[in-house]
Amino acid sequence: MKKIIIIAVLCCTTISFGQLITSGPLTPNQVVDSNRLNDLTRLRFSKQDEVEKIVKGSIYLFEDWDTSSVIEVDSRKYLLKSVNYNILADQFQFKVSEDSIFVFDNTIIGQIKLNNRKFKQFYFGLDEGDKFCEVLFEGENSSLIKRHGVKFDQAQPNPLMLKDITDKYVKTAKYYLIDNDTKTITSVKLKKKSLAAIFKGKSSDIESYVKNNKLSFKKENDLKKIFKYYNSL
């Protein structure tokens, strides 16, 4: 009886993986891999139980798991569905079923595209080590990255206030400029004055470009255009 149960579980697992991974023949530049379980061992993931949600907000980048991703491992690419980024743990996780979540080993991921948003690891010193950041722009001289964060906002109960006092997670973000030659990471704020210090001698050209194209330093999509122009000067 036990053997029958084990076989049934393995069959269900195989079906689940097959539904979440693109199958098909491998070609040199094709972003696919087969749905065989032995291929997935290259991703070196471990199982993690899903934590019951007891607070508002989410520690995940996306509210649901209806996602698609391309994960690069040792020059091979895997196209997977149902992947999300656990911001709090700085981990990419793969949801196989409602009660089964697998955690990818950060040390083997070269880069990952999650819903067409690129993430790579960057070194933030001895205290923090390597952390995943979203790459907003990659230029010849410099790159702009976004480090996602999440903080726990503990409610302060007040019996005199008739309002929601539930604990919640609040998402945060910090932006950094990477010097591609020295790999130096500089923190930047989405403000004109802060960015002007980075653009230095080209700040007047940048200001004219921003004004003429009605762009904003506070909007990410505009910021990508600004840095693209900056790298072209």
Side-chain angles (χ1 to χ4, degrees), residues 67-173:
T67 61
S68 61
S69 67
V70 179
I71 303 176
E72 291 189 10
V73 179
D74 297 330
S75 73
R76 298 185 70 177
K77 296 180 179 180
Y78 298 80
L79 181 59
L80 278 75
K81 297 180 180 179
S82 302
V83 173
N84 212 332
Y85 176 51
N86 184 324
I87 303 172
L88 191 63
D90 189 34
Q91 296 173 333
F92 286 94
Q93 301 179 352
F94 178 28
K95 192 169 188 177
V96 180
S97 63
E98 287 302 317
D99 58 353
S100 294
I101 292 179
F102 290 84
V103 179
F104 294 112
D105 184 345
N106 286 357
T107 63
I108 54 93
I109 296 179
Q111 69 176 34
I112 178 171
K113 284 187 178 180
L114 186 55
N115 282 359
N116 291 319
R117 295 164 65 174
K118 182 187 289 188
F119 292 81
K120 294 171 66 175
Q121 283 190 321
F122 296 89
Y123 185 64
F124 282 84
L126 292 175
D127 292 338
E128 297 187 88
D130 293 318
K131 297 293 180 182
F132 275 106
C133 293
E134 181 177 357
V135 181
L136 299 180
F137 173 79
E138 283 185 298
E140 183 178 348
N141 302 316
S142 60
S143 300
L144 180 67
I145 63 174
K146 177 181 181 179
R147 183 174 173 182
H148 293 272
V150 63
K151 65 179 182 179
F152 180 69
D153 189 0
Q154 189 171 16
Q156 299 297 325
N158 185 339
L160 300 178
M161 300 292 290
L162 298 176
K163 65 177 183 178
D164 188 359
I165 55 172
T166 307
D167 296 338
K168 60 182 177 180
Y169 287 112
V170 179
K171 291 175 184 174
T172 62

Side-chain angles (χ1 to χ4, degrees), residues 35-93:
N35 59 355
R36 295 173 298 177
L37 292 178
N38 61 331
D39 281 339
L40 282 177
T41 58
R42 286 175 171 269
L43 296 178
R44 283 163 52 183
F45 48 70
S46 57
K47 189 176 185 299
Q48 174 176 298
D49 294 329
E50 189 167 15
V51 179
E52 184 180 355
K53 188 174 181 180
I54 57 175
V55 296
K56 281 193 170 185
S58 175
I59 59 175
Y60 289 97
L61 181 61
F62 296 101
E63 296 300 324
D64 58 55
W65 295 75
D66 184 19
T67 61
S68 61
S69 67
V70 179
I71 303 176
E72 291 189 10
V73 179
D74 297 330
S75 73
R76 298 185 70 177
K77 296 180 179 180
Y78 298 80
L79 181 59
L80 278 75
K81 297 180 180 179
S82 302
V83 173
N84 212 332
Y85 176 51
N86 184 324
I87 303 172
L88 191 63
D90 189 34
Q91 296 173 333
F92 286 94
Q93 301 179 352

Side-chain angles (χ1 to χ4, degrees), residues 19-33:
Q19 293 172 339
L20 296 168
I21 305 164
T22 296
S23 61
L26 286 173
T27 57
N29 298 313
Q30 194 174 7
V31 187
V32 300
D33 214 330

